[in-house]
C-alpha cells in the first residue's frame, strides 16, 4: 500500500498554528489568508486520518496526537529547508554547512560564544545549530543529521565517539534568606532531607544527584 504524501505547505500551516496559538495569528505569520490556513489544516487531518486540534467555537487546542506529531513535523520541515539551502550552496559551489546539535544550555550560551571566537575563514558560510535533549543529540549523530553534538555526560553509545571538553560546577538556586545562601559553596550533604527541584530525566544529572544524596 502507498501512503499519501504529506504536503509541506500543510505541515508549515500546522507548525505555524502550534507556534502562534491560533489560526488567525498563524495566517499573519505565513502571510496567507485565514481560510487558506484552515483548509491546509483540514486537508492534513484528512490525510493523516486523525484530528490535530480540538475545536471549541473560534478557539482551538492541540489534541494529544497533535502535540506528539508536532515534533515530527518540525523535524521534517527543518530537513526540507536544509535540503533547499544545500541545493543552493551546491549550485553556488559553496562548502557544505556544518550541522551542530547541542543541549539547550550549551546551544544558548557556550556554542555561540565558541563559534564567535573562531576565525571566519575556517568556517563555511553556514553553520546550523539545533537545540535538543541529550538523547536527541545522540540520535542526530547516529542518523548523520548532525556533524557534531554537545551534550552533558553520561553519553555511552557504541555508535558515538565521545570526547570530554569541559566541566562546570552544579549550582543550587536558593531563596535569599536561606541559611545556605550565605555560603560560598554548598556541599551535597547540606541538601539531604530537603525538598529539591531537579531535572525530570532520571538517567542523567538527576541520577548522579540522587546517588550522591
Amino acid at each position: 500500500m502507498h501512503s499519501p504524501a504529506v504536503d509541506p505547505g500543510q505541515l508549515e500551516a500546522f507548525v505555524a498554528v502550534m507556534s502562534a496559538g491560533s489560526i488567525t495569528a498563524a495566517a499573519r505569520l505565513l502571510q496567507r489568508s485565514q481560510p487558506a490556513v484552515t483548509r491546509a489544516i483540514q486537508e492534513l487531518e484528512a490525510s493523516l486520518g486523525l484530528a490535530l486540534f480540538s475545536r471549541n467555537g473560534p478557539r482551538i487546542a492541540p489534541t494529544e496526537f497533535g502535540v506528539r506529531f508536532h515534533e515530527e513535523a518540525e523535524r521534517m520541515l527543518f530537513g526540507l529547508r536544509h535540503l533547499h539551502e544545500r541545493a543552493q550552496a551546491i549550485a553556488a559551489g559553496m562548502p557544505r554547512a556544518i550541522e551542530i546539535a547541542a543541549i539547550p544550555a550549551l546551544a544558548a550560551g557556550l556554542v555561540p560564544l565558541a563559534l564567535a571566537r573562531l576565525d571566519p575563514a575556517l568556517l563555511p558560510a553556514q553553520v546550523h545549530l539545533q537545540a535538543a535533549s541529550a538523547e536527541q543529540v545522540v540520535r542526530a549523530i547516529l542518523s548523520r543529521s548532525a556533524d557534531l553534538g554537545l551534550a552533558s555526560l553520561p553519553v555511552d553509545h557504541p555508535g558515538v565517539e565521545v570526547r570530554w571538553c569541559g566541566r562546570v560546577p552544579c549550582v543550587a538556586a536558593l531563596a535569599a534568606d536561606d541559611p545556605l545562601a550565605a555560603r560560598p559553596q554548598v556541599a551535597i550533604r547540606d541538601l539531604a532531607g530537603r525538598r529539591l527541584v531537579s531535572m525530570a530525566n532520571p538517567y542523567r544529572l538527576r541520577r548522579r544527584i540522587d546517588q550522591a544524596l
Side-chain angles (χ1 to χ4, degrees):
M1 295 179 64
H2 294 284
S3 300
V6 176
D7 187 300
Q10 297 171 1
L11 282 181
E12 188 176 42
F14 166 64
V15 171
V17 173
M18 289 290 289
S19 298
S22 71
I23 290 179
T24 301
R28 287 197 298 266
L29 286 175
L30 298 174
Q31 296 184 334
R32 299 187 202 173
S33 68
Q34 186 173 333
V37 174
T38 299
R39 185 168 58 254
I41 297 295
Q42 292 172 341
E43 291 173 349
L44 179 59
E45 289 178 321
S47 174
L48 298 173
L50 290 164
L52 295 167
F53 297 98
S54 58
R55 294 158 175 86
N56 182 15
R59 296 184 178 182
I60 62 171
T63 62
E64 182 181 353
F65 171 76
V67 172
R68 296 172 63 183
F69 182 69
H70 179 234
E71 181 180 344
E72 301 298 330
E74 275 195 320
R75 186 179 297 115
M76 177 173 284
L77 280 179
F78 175 79
L80 289 173
R81 294 190 189 104
H82 179 206
L83 185 64
H84 184 263
E85 292 175 358
R86 183 60 190 140
Q88 292 180 321
I90 292 173
M94 298 168 58
R96 188 173 70 87
I98 295 177
E99 305 292 336
I100 302 175
I103 59 174
L106 297 179
L110 179 64
V111 178
L113 292 174
L115 291 173
R117 295 183 64 177
L118 293 177
D119 183 350
L122 300 176
L123 297 173
Q126 293 183 337
V127 177
H128 298 152
L129 175 59
Q130 176 186 2
S133 68
E135 289 75 19
Q136 290 171 334
V137 169
V138 172
R139 287 200 297 269
I141 296 296
L142 293 173
S143 65
R144 299 184 184 276
S145 60
D147 303 302
L148 176 68
L150 292 99
S152 56
L153 294 175
V155 174
D156 186 13
H157 195 287
V160 175
E161 181 180 349
V162 179
R163 298 293 182 93
W164 178 88
C165 65
R167 179 172 58 190
V168 294
C170 290
V171 176
L174 303 162
D177 58 353
D178 191 293
L180 297 179
R183 299 187 184 184
Q185 191 172 48
V186 177
I188 192 72
R189 62 178 173 271
D190 296 329
L191 303 177
R194 299 186 58 153
R195 183 175 297 173
L196 304 179
V197 178
S198 184
M199 290 74 177
N201 190 332
Y203 301 112
R204 307 200 61 75
L205 180 60
R206 162 76 177 275
R207 182 168 188 157
R208 293 189 169 191
I209 293 174
D210 290 344
Q211 288 175 339
L213 289 170

